[in-house]
Amino acid sequence: MSDVIRIKDLRNRVGQTVSLRGWVCTARSSGKIAFVVLRDGTGNLQCVVSKNEVGESVWEAVKALTHETSVKVTGGVREDARSPGGVELGLTELTILGLSVDFPITPKEHSTSFLFEHRHLWLRSKRQEAIMKVRHEVVQSIRDFFYERDFCLVDTPLLTAAIGEEAGTLFETEYFDLGKAYLAQTGQLYLEAAAASLGMVYCFGPTFRAEKSKTRRHLAEFWMVEPEVAWYDSDDNMRLQEDFVSYVVQRCLERRKTELEVLERDTSRLVPVEPPFPRVSYTDAIARLQDEGRSIEWGKDLGAEDETKVATWSDKPVFVFNYPKEAKAFYMKRNPDDPRTVLSNDCLAPEGYGEIIGGSQREDDHDILLSRIREENLPEDAYDWYLDLRKYGTFVHSGFGMGVERVVAWICGVPHVRETIAFPRQMHRIRP
Ligand code: 4AD
Ligand code: MG
């Protein structure tokens, strides 16, 4: 297995005879010539078979090939300008490695639920492959962005004793003799402790929310990247967000052209995503939304349709800042200029993709934080260590969380987050 040849490398082997393995996408023959298209995850390869140049048994085997059969092929690599990878293979030998009979996913239309029940096979389709590659680019660009800026990665626990965001969407499990543990809704609280050690930190991992909503933006398990920065206030935080989001989008435009073409993404909608992003206070946003006929009242979090409306105010993502404290989590810093609000922001993506980031400056005053914990009826003893951070050298700090699936959906232009993760976890879906 050591010298595995991949389709993407064939351009450097023009004139050589090679053997490689892959899966059959299509096979068709007419008269004395047959065309077999193989894929191997790195590209597609057209194999040309001419009846006169191969033995009878190879010819018969080629004619019997079916969709998704795994094969080993041998042949000469030839330049071919019309092929996607610039080369084709003059097939001389064929070995069937694994037959595929009646592959369930055919070129005809399938229902969404059928496709998700066959997610393990559906992942092989061109479109799904393209989405996974964009996701991979998004994840790598996230890592690169923070590495280049000297942030230290801190992996936070997934089993936790304290509620991170809100009590309503917790997954619970028994934890030995210690009672209930919750699957993490966020790594933030732990990250704040790490920020007091390392200054600029981030965590990146799966996050769990028992969301009973069946919207196109919600998963029960999603990946979130969360930076936390000592001495950053809310304005610094938004500047970091616009640099970050722009970096990720521009990186996909540069390196994932092919995949975005497969997805028929109108990339002209992504080109303008460069800093600075427009900023509108929550209070101003509500006034303008009301002017534009929305019925939202001051004090409520923006609904999906309100977010879509706000996003039409620019061709870039839009920051809405300083939400009412009732609409947001307990840890956000009270706004000294308007104590009804907190120093927070959401970043709303264009084209109806809605909130991709939630962020805030954190409450750094011990007594105010404690009173917020009490107001929200959170179990005080679970937060003793979190309050300690305000007792031993408290510090101005801010951070945010960006949901990977929502960003991938937006960049790919796919309507629903469930297609942007290999095996989505939703209220009514845990298999495959
Ligand atoms: O706004 P959220 O709930 O913020 C936090 O969890 C903070 N602790 C982050 C921080 O400040 N460190 O979630 C952040 C982002 C959302 O903007 C959204 O992109 C994504 O996480 N998200 C979800 N994505 C998919 N499915 C869900 N159920 C999601 N809930 C949030
Ligand atoms: Mg939020």
Side-chain angles (χ1 to χ4, degrees):
M1 288 280 182
S2 56
D3 191 21
V4 178
I5 294 176
R6 307 281 173 188
I7 292 172
K8 71 175 169 63
D9 299 324
L10 290 181
R11 212 188 265 276
N12 307 322
R13 294 185 179 261
V14 172
Q16 297 177 18
T17 294
V18 301
S19 294
L20 59 113
R21 284 158 292 184
W23 292 264
V24 174
C25 295
T26 58
R28 61 191 169 85
S29 60
S30 66
K32 294 182 157 55
I33 192 131
F35 298 95
V36 179
V37 176
L38 290 191
R39 52 158 200 91
D40 73 350
T42 72
N44 284 11
L45 173 68
Q46 170 156 284
C47 307
V48 184
V49 195
S50 94
K51 187 176 179 187
N52 298 335
E53 287 164 29
V54 296
E56 182 68 19
S57 64
V58 170
W59 180 252
E60 289 307 316
V62 165
K63 284 210 301 183
L65 282 176
T66 52
H67 188 203
E68 293 306 320
T69 290
S70 53
V71 294
K72 178 180 172 191
V73 294
T74 302
V77 181
R78 308 193 285 239
E79 213 144 34
D80 179 58
R82 289 156 307 169
S83 295
V87 294
E88 63 175 25
L89 192 86
L91 185 147
T92 51
E93 285 171 48
L94 170 77
T95 313
I96 300 209
L97 302 175
L99 270 181
S100 165
V101 181
D102 297 335
F103 189 70
I105 298 169
T106 61
K108 71 163 201 195
E109 288 272 316
H110 294 287
S111 72
T112 306
S113 64
F114 179 89
L115 290 170
F116 277 102
E117 279 153 28
H118 294 84
R119 184 64 172 166
H120 51 299
L121 302 176
W122 186 31
L123 275 181
R124 301 182 191 189
S125 78
K126 209 174 167 61
R127 180 182 154 86
Q128 298 308 315
E129 194 184 317
I131 296 172
M132 287 305 117
K133 285 183 177 168
V134 172
R135 182 188 170 104
H136 165 66
E137 194 67 44
V138 165
V139 170
Q140 190 60 44
S141 66
I142 288 169
R143 299 244 180 243
D144 291 346
F145 179 89
F146 289 116
Y147 188 82
E148 286 165 11
R149 282 159 188 76
D150 281 332
F151 281 65
C152 185
L153 173 72
V154 175
D155 297 312
T156 52
L158 300 187
L159 287 166
T160 67
I163 299 165
E165 286 295 315
E166 46 163 337
T169 61
L170 284 171
F171 282 110
E172 290 183 1
T173 183
E174 292 305 317
Y175 194 78
F176 305 108
D177 296 331
L178 299 181
K180 293 218 182 310
Y182 309 113
L183 295 185
Q185 295 174 316
T186 171
Q188 179 197 320
L189 309 196
Y190 299 96
L191 216 51
E192 289 182 49
S197 162
L198 295 150
M200 299 186 291
V201 292
Y202 79 102
C203 67
F204 190 7
T207 321
F208 305 90
R209 308 250 172 121
E211 299 274 7
K212 295 226 169 69
S213 49
K214 292 186 197 165
T215 78
R216 58 196 189 88
R217 299 176 183 178
H218 289 95
L219 294 167
E221 178 180 312
F222 65 96
W223 281 65
M224 180 158 59
V225 53
E226 298 179 87
E228 193 70 33
V229 192
W231 317 119
Y232 263 25
D233 65 15
S234 187
D235 289 328
D236 299 323
N237 196 26
M238 283 189 268
R239 277 193 290 275
L240 180 65
Q241 290 167 50
E242 63 198 2
D243 286 349
F244 176 53
V245 170
S246 304
Y247 181 96
V248 170
V249 168
Q250 296 303 326
R251 172 84 169 253
C252 290
L253 285 177
E254 269 163 39
R255 301 200 190 175
R256 293 296 161 182
K257 272 201 177 65
T258 314
E259 287 76 16
L260 293 171
E261 260 169 46
V262 168
L263 296 165
E264 297 175 348
R265 178 63 164 124
D266 174 4
T267 49
S268 71
R269 302 295 299 269
L270 298 173
V271 172
V273 181
E274 296 274 13
F277 297 169
R279 290 148 166 76
V280 54
S281 75
Y282 169 88
T283 300
D284 290 348
I286 293 298
R288 183 161 169 191
L289 281 168
Q290 287 169 345
D291 276 354
E292 293 181 8
R294 304 279 319 155
S295 61
I296 183 159
E297 278 165 31
W298 198 99
K300 296 270 182 315
D301 206 352
L302 301 187
E305 284 177 40
D306 302 313
E307 290 183 353
T308 300
K309 189 91 192 174
V310 171
T312 63
W313 299 344
S314 172
D315 57 359
K316 300 181 184 198
V318 177
F319 288 126
V320 178
F321 63 90
N322 295 3
Y323 281 74
K325 73 170 194 215
E326 284 75 21
K328 293 289 170 188
F330 71 95
Y331 51 70
M332 297 187 181
K333 184 162 180 67
R334 176 187 292 187
N335 179 4
D337 299 330
D338 178 1
R340 299 177 305 161
T341 65
V342 284
L343 299 177
S344 63
N345 77 271
D346 280 1
C347 177
L348 308 180
E351 301 173 76
Y353 284 92
E355 180 199 328
I356 49 170
I357 288 181
S360 64
Q361 189 171 329
R362 318 307 189 186
E363 185 53 75
D364 47 21
D365 181 281
H366 177 277
D367 295 348
I368 296 177
L369 183 60
L370 181 60
S371 70
R372 286 291 293 128
I373 288 172
R374 288 179 178 159
E375 268 171 35
E376 299 283 322
N377 285 320
L378 293 165
E380 236 171 277
D381 53 341
Y383 295 92
D384 52 355
W385 65 270
Y386 187 62
L387 286 158
D388 272 357
L389 306 177
R390 281 75 182 165
K391 282 207 297 211
Y392 303 102
T394 194
F395 61 120
V396 169
H397 60 294
S398 300
F400 63 88
M402 185 180 87
V404 166
E405 289 75 16
R406 289 192 192 176
V407 168
V408 175
W410 166 45
I411 293 176
C412 289
V414 307
H416 202 301
V417 289
R418 66 191 168 197
E419 258 187 272
T420 65
I421 185 163
F423 293 97
R425 294 294 170 248
Q426 292 174 277
M427 193 179 157
H428 55 286
R429 190 181 310 288
I430 185 113
R431 302 184 55 217

PDB file of all heavy atoms in Angstrom, residues 324-345:
ATOM      1  N   PRO A 324     -30.373  44.215  24.917  1.00  0.00           N
ATOM      2  CA  PRO A 324     -30.933  44.266  26.268  1.00  0.00           C
ATOM      3  C   PRO A 324     -30.434  43.072  27.078  1.00  0.00           C
ATOM      4  O   PRO A 324     -30.287  41.974  26.527  1.00  0.00           O
ATOM      5  CB  PRO A 324     -32.443  44.126  26.045  1.00  0.00           C
ATOM      6  CG  PRO A 324     -32.670  44.183  24.592  1.00  0.00           C
ATOM      7  CD  PRO A 324     -31.382  44.005  23.875  1.00  0.00           C
ATOM      8  N   LYS A 325     -30.180  43.294  28.349  1.00  0.00           N
ATOM      9  CA  LYS A 325     -29.582  42.210  29.136  1.00  0.00           C
ATOM     10  C   LYS A 325     -30.511  40.996  29.227  1.00  0.00           C
ATOM     11  O   LYS A 325     -30.049  39.859  29.250  1.00  0.00           O
ATOM     12  CB  LYS A 325     -29.136  42.691  30.516  1.00  0.00           C
ATOM     13  CG  LYS A 325     -30.242  42.954  31.491  1.00  0.00           C
ATOM     14  CD  LYS A 325     -29.657  43.186  32.884  1.00  0.00           C
ATOM     15  CE  LYS A 325     -30.764  43.104  33.868  1.00  0.00           C
ATOM     16  NZ  LYS A 325     -30.897  43.824  34.993  1.00  0.00           N
ATOM     17  N   GLU A 326     -31.826  41.212  29.204  1.00  0.00           N
ATOM     18  CA  GLU A 326     -32.770  40.084  29.295  1.00  0.00           C
ATOM     19  C   GLU A 326     -32.653  39.135  28.103  1.00  0.00           C
ATOM     20  O   GLU A 326     -33.001  37.967  28.200  1.00  0.00           O
ATOM     21  CB  GLU A 326     -34.223  40.577  29.378  1.00  0.00           C
ATOM     22  CG  GLU A 326     -34.631  41.131  30.728  1.00  0.00           C
ATOM     23  CD  GLU A 326     -34.052  42.507  30.993  1.00  0.00           C
ATOM     24  OE1 GLU A 326     -33.685  43.200  30.020  1.00  0.00           O
ATOM     25  OE2 GLU A 326     -33.945  42.880  32.177  1.00  0.00           O
ATOM     26  N   ALA A 327     -32.200  39.661  26.980  1.00  0.00           N
ATOM     27  CA  ALA A 327     -32.163  38.837  25.769  1.00  0.00           C
ATOM     28  C   ALA A 327     -30.886  38.011  25.690  1.00  0.00           C
ATOM     29  O   ALA A 327     -30.758  37.166  24.810  1.00  0.00           O
ATOM     30  CB  ALA A 327     -32.290  39.731  24.536  1.00  0.00           C
ATOM     31  N   LYS A 328     -29.947  38.244  26.618  1.00  0.00           N
ATOM     32  CA  LYS A 328     -28.636  37.612  26.469  1.00  0.00           C
ATOM     33  C   LYS A 328     -28.182  36.915  27.767  1.00  0.00           C
ATOM     34  O   LYS A 328     -28.820  37.037  28.799  1.00  0.00           O
ATOM     35  CB  LYS A 328     -27.611  38.681  26.056  1.00  0.00           C
ATOM     36  CG  LYS A 328     -27.854  39.250  24.658  1.00  0.00           C
ATOM     37  CD  LYS A 328     -27.536  38.235  23.564  1.00  0.00           C
ATOM     38  CE  LYS A 328     -28.003  38.702  22.196  1.00  0.00           C
ATOM     39  NZ  LYS A 328     -27.884  37.708  21.156  1.00  0.00           N
ATOM     40  N   ALA A 329     -27.053  36.212  27.681  1.00  0.00           N
ATOM     41  CA  ALA A 329     -26.578  35.387  28.801  1.00  0.00           C
ATOM     42  C   ALA A 329     -26.079  36.241  29.976  1.00  0.00           C
ATOM     43  O   ALA A 329     -25.746  37.415  29.817  1.00  0.00           O
ATOM     44  CB  ALA A 329     -25.477  34.452  28.319  1.00  0.00           C
ATOM     45  N   PHE A 330     -26.000  35.581  31.138  1.00  0.00           N
ATOM     46  CA  PHE A 330     -25.743  36.274  32.409  1.00  0.00           C
ATOM     47  C   PHE A 330     -24.363  36.918  32.514  1.00  0.00           C
ATOM     48  O   PHE A 330     -24.149  37.818  33.318  1.00  0.00           O
ATOM     49  CB  PHE A 330     -25.900  35.278  33.567  1.00  0.00           C
ATOM     50  CG  PHE A 330     -24.783  34.251  33.624  1.00  0.00           C
ATOM     51  CD1 PHE A 330     -23.675  34.443  34.449  1.00  0.00           C
ATOM     52  CD2 PHE A 330     -24.834  33.101  32.836  1.00  0.00           C
ATOM     53  CE1 PHE A 330     -22.644  33.513  34.500  1.00  0.00           C
ATOM     54  CE2 PHE A 330     -23.801  32.163  32.876  1.00  0.00           C
ATOM     55  CZ  PHE A 330     -22.714  32.366  33.696  1.00  0.00           C
ATOM     56  N   TYR A 331     -23.397  36.446  31.727  1.00  0.00           N
ATOM     57  CA  TYR A 331     -21.999  36.839  31.953  1.00  0.00           C
ATOM     58  C   TYR A 331     -21.594  38.111  31.213  1.00  0.00           C
ATOM     59  O   TYR A 331     -20.467  38.552  31.285  1.00  0.00           O
ATOM     60  CB  TYR A 331     -21.071  35.695  31.527  1.00  0.00           C
ATOM     61  CG  TYR A 331     -21.370  35.177  30.133  1.00  0.00           C
ATOM     62  CD1 TYR A 331     -21.090  35.953  29.015  1.00  0.00           C
ATOM     63  CD2 TYR A 331     -21.977  33.933  29.945  1.00  0.00           C
ATOM     64  CE1 TYR A 331     -21.391  35.509  27.737  1.00  0.00           C
ATOM     65  CE2 TYR A 331     -22.285  33.479  28.670  1.00  0.00           C
ATOM     66  CZ  TYR A 331     -21.980  34.270  27.569  1.00  0.00           C
ATOM     67  OH  TYR A 331     -22.294  33.836  26.323  1.00  0.00           O
ATOM     68  N   MET A 332     -22.524  38.706  30.450  1.00  0.00           N
ATOM     69  CA  MET A 332     -22.141  39.855  29.630  1.00  0.00           C
ATOM     70  C   MET A 332     -22.063  41.129  30.477  1.00  0.00           C
ATOM     71  O   MET A 332     -22.848  41.329  31.394  1.00  0.00           O
ATOM     72  CB  MET A 332     -23.139  40.035  28.491  1.00  0.00           C
ATOM     73  CG  MET A 332     -23.134  38.838  27.543  1.00  0.00           C
ATOM     74  SD  MET A 332     -24.155  39.114  26.110  1.00  0.00           S
ATOM     75  CE  MET A 332     -23.932  37.524  25.274  1.00  0.00           C
ATOM     76  N   LYS A 333     -21.118  41.999  30.140  1.00  0.00           N
ATOM     77  CA  LYS A 333     -20.869  43.177  30.970  1.00  0.00           C
ATOM     78  C   LYS A 333     -21.972  44.215  30.813  1.00  0.00           C
ATOM     79  O   LYS A 333     -22.370  44.580  29.707  1.00  0.00           O
ATOM     80  CB  LYS A 333     -19.528  43.825  30.614  1.00  0.00           C
ATOM     81  CG  LYS A 333     -19.218  44.995  31.542  1.00  0.00           C
ATOM     82  CD  LYS A 333     -17.777  45.396  31.537  1.00  0.00           C
ATOM     83  CE  LYS A 333     -17.524  46.557  32.484  1.00  0.00           C
ATOM     84  NZ  LYS A 333     -17.721  46.207  33.905  1.00  0.00           N
ATOM     85  N   ARG A 334     -22.424  44.687  31.957  1.00  0.00           N
ATOM     86  CA  ARG A 334     -23.432  45.751  31.975  1.00  0.00           C
ATOM     87  C   ARG A 334     -22.870  46.977  31.264  1.00  0.00           C
ATOM     88  O   ARG A 334     -21.719  47.363  31.466  1.00  0.00           O
ATOM     89  CB  ARG A 334     -23.757  46.094  33.438  1.00  0.00           C
ATOM     90  CG  ARG A 334     -24.725  47.239  33.583  1.00  0.00           C
ATOM     91  CD  ARG A 334     -24.878  47.645  35.016  1.00  0.00           C
ATOM     92  NE  ARG A 334     -25.563  46.586  35.795  1.00  0.00           N
ATOM     93  CZ  ARG A 334     -25.942  46.736  37.054  1.00  0.00           C
ATOM     94  NH1 ARG A 334     -25.700  47.883  37.681  1.00  0.00           N
ATOM     95  NH2 ARG A 334     -26.545  45.773  37.704  1.00  0.00           N
ATOM     96  N   ASN A 335     -23.693  47.596  30.423  1.00  0.00           N
ATOM     97  CA  ASN A 335     -23.279  48.797  29.696  1.00  0.00           C
ATOM     98  C   ASN A 335     -23.350  49.996  30.641  1.00  0.00           C
ATOM     99  O   ASN A 335     -24.426  50.383  31.065  1.00  0.00           O
ATOM    100  CB  ASN A 335     -24.226  48.997  28.496  1.00  0.00           C
ATOM    101  CG  ASN A 335     -23.878  50.250  27.705  1.00  0.00           C
ATOM    102  OD1 ASN A 335     -22.899  50.940  27.999  1.00  0.00           O
ATOM    103  ND2 ASN A 335     -24.685  50.531  26.694  1.00  0.00           N
ATOM    104  N   PRO A 336     -22.214  50.616  30.979  1.00  0.00           N
ATOM    105  CA  PRO A 336     -22.243  51.719  31.948  1.00  0.00           C
ATOM    106  C   PRO A 336     -23.080  52.895  31.453  1.00  0.00           C
ATOM    107  O   PRO A 336     -23.632  53.649  32.253  1.00  0.00           O
ATOM    108  CB  PRO A 336     -20.767  52.112  32.104  1.00  0.00           C
ATOM    109  CG  PRO A 336     -20.024  51.435  31.014  1.00  0.00           C
ATOM    110  CD  PRO A 336     -20.862  50.320  30.484  1.00  0.00           C
ATOM    111  N   ASP A 337     -23.227  53.059  30.130  1.00  0.00           N
ATOM    112  CA  ASP A 337     -23.988  54.191  29.594  1.00  0.00           C
ATOM    113  C   ASP A 337     -25.486  53.918  29.497  1.00  0.00           C
ATOM    114  O   ASP A 337     -26.273  54.832  29.248  1.00  0.00           O
ATOM    115  CB  ASP A 337     -23.465  54.568  28.200  1.00  0.00           C
ATOM    116  CG  ASP A 337     -22.005  54.998  28.258  1.00  0.00           C
ATOM    117  OD1 ASP A 337     -21.602  55.548  29.312  1.00  0.00           O
ATOM    118  OD2 ASP A 337     -21.273  54.743  27.284  1.00  0.00           O
ATOM    119  N   ASP A 338     -25.873  52.659  29.621  1.00  0.00           N
ATOM    120  CA  ASP A 338     -27.293  52.301  29.551  1.00  0.00           C
ATOM    121  C   ASP A 338     -27.461  50.926  30.179  1.00  0.00           C
ATOM    122  O   ASP A 338     -27.373  49.906  29.505  1.00  0.00           O
ATOM    123  CB  ASP A 338     -27.767  52.281  28.091  1.00  0.00           C
ATOM    124  CG  ASP A 338     -29.233  51.854  27.983  1.00  0.00           C
ATOM    125  OD1 ASP A 338     -29.868  51.592  29.036  1.00  0.00           O
ATOM    126  OD2 ASP A 338     -29.733  51.760  26.848  1.00  0.00           O
ATOM    127  N   PRO A 339     -27.669  50.898  31.518  1.00  0.00           N
ATOM    128  CA  PRO A 339     -27.669  49.624  32.259  1.00  0.00           C
ATOM    129  C   PRO A 339     -28.778  48.658  31.839  1.00  0.00           C
ATOM    130  O   PRO A 339     -28.788  47.519  32.286  1.00  0.00           O
ATOM    131  CB  PRO A 339     -27.854  50.051  33.711  1.00  0.00           C
ATOM    132  CG  PRO A 339     -27.620  51.506  33.750  1.00  0.00           C
ATOM    133  CD  PRO A 339     -27.906  52.044  32.387  1.00  0.00           C
ATOM    134  N   ARG A 340     -29.698  49.090  30.972  1.00  0.00           N
ATOM    135  CA  ARG A 340     -30.676  48.130  30.444  1.00  0.00           C
ATOM    136  C   ARG A 340     -30.011  47.168  29.457  1.00  0.00           C
ATOM    137  O   ARG A 340     -30.572  46.137  29.105  1.00  0.00           O
ATOM    138  CB  ARG A 340     -31.791  48.862  29.676  1.00  0.00           C
ATOM    139  CG  ARG A 340     -32.607  49.852  30.470  1.00  0.00           C
ATOM    140  CD  ARG A 340     -33.615  50.530  29.543  1.00  0.00           C
ATOM    141  NE  ARG A 340     -32.951  51.158  28.385  1.00  0.00           N
ATOM    142  CZ  ARG A 340     -33.557  51.507  27.250  1.00  0.00           C
ATOM    143  NH1 ARG A 340     -34.843  51.309  27.093  1.00  0.00           N
ATOM    144  NH2 ARG A 340     -32.875  52.074  26.254  1.00  0.00           N
ATOM    145  N   THR A 341     -28.831  47.581  28.977  1.00  0.00           N
ATOM    146  CA  THR A 341     -28.184  46.795  27.915  1.00  0.00           C
ATOM    147  C   THR A 341     -26.831  46.260  28.373  1.00  0.00           C
ATOM    148  O   THR A 341     -26.295  46.678  29.405  1.00  0.00           O
ATOM    149  CB  THR A 341     -27.979  47.648  26.642  1.00  0.00           C
ATOM    150  OG1 THR A 341     -27.053  48.696  26.953  1.00  0.00           O
ATOM    151  CG2 THR A 341     -29.283  48.230  26.146  1.00  0.00           C
ATOM    152  N   VAL A 342     -26.304  45.311  27.595  1.00  0.00           N
ATOM    153  CA  VAL A 342     -24.992  44.736  27.885  1.00  0.00           C
ATOM    154  C   VAL A 342     -24.058  44.940  26.689  1.00  0.00           C
ATOM    155  O   VAL A 342     -24.510  45.092  25.545  1.00  0.00           O
ATOM    156  CB  VAL A 342     -25.099  43.221  28.208  1.00  0.00           C
ATOM    157  CG1 VAL A 342     -25.651  43.020  29.612  1.00  0.00           C
ATOM    158  CG2 VAL A 342     -25.948  42.477  27.185  1.00  0.00           C
ATOM    159  N   LEU A 343     -22.751  44.950  26.974  1.00  0.00           N
ATOM    160  CA  LEU A 343     -21.748  45.192  25.930  1.00  0.00           C
ATOM    161  C   LEU A 343     -21.548  43.920  25.112  1.00  0.00           C
ATOM    162  O   LEU A 343     -20.625  43.143  25.353  1.00  0.00           O
ATOM    163  CB  LEU A 343     -20.429  45.654  26.559  1.00  0.00           C
ATOM    164  CG  LEU A 343     -20.520  46.955  27.360  1.00  0.00           C
ATOM    165  CD1 LEU A 343     -19.177  47.295  28.009  1.00  0.00           C
ATOM    166  CD2 LEU A 343     -20.989  48.112  26.463  1.00  0.00           C
ATOM    167  N   SER A 344     -22.459  43.706  24.202  1.00  0.00           N
ATOM    168  CA  SER A 344     -22.484  42.451  23.455  1.00  0.00           C
ATOM    169  C   SER A 344     -22.607  42.771  21.979  1.00  0.00           C
ATOM    170  O   SER A 344     -22.882  43.905  21.601  1.00  0.00           O
ATOM    171  CB  SER A 344     -23.708  41.641  23.869  1.00  0.00           C
ATOM    172  OG  SER A 344     -24.870  42.373  23.517  1.00  0.00           O
ATOM    173  N   ASN A 345     -22.399  41.762  21.154  1.00  0.00           N
ATOM    174  CA  ASN A 345     -22.730  41.944  19.735  1.00  0.00           C
ATOM    175  C   ASN A 345     -23.044  40.600  19.091  1.00  0.00           C
ATOM    176  O   ASN A 345     -22.516  39.562  19.486  1.00  0.00           O
ATOM    177  CB  ASN A 345     -21.583  42.618  18.968  1.00  0.00           C
ATOM    178  CG  ASN A 345     -20.447  41.648  18.656  1.00  0.00           C
ATOM    179  OD1 ASN A 345     -19.525  41.483  19.456  1.00  0.00           O
ATOM    180  ND2 ASN A 345     -20.505  40.992  17.514  1.00  0.00           N
TER     181      ASN A 345
END
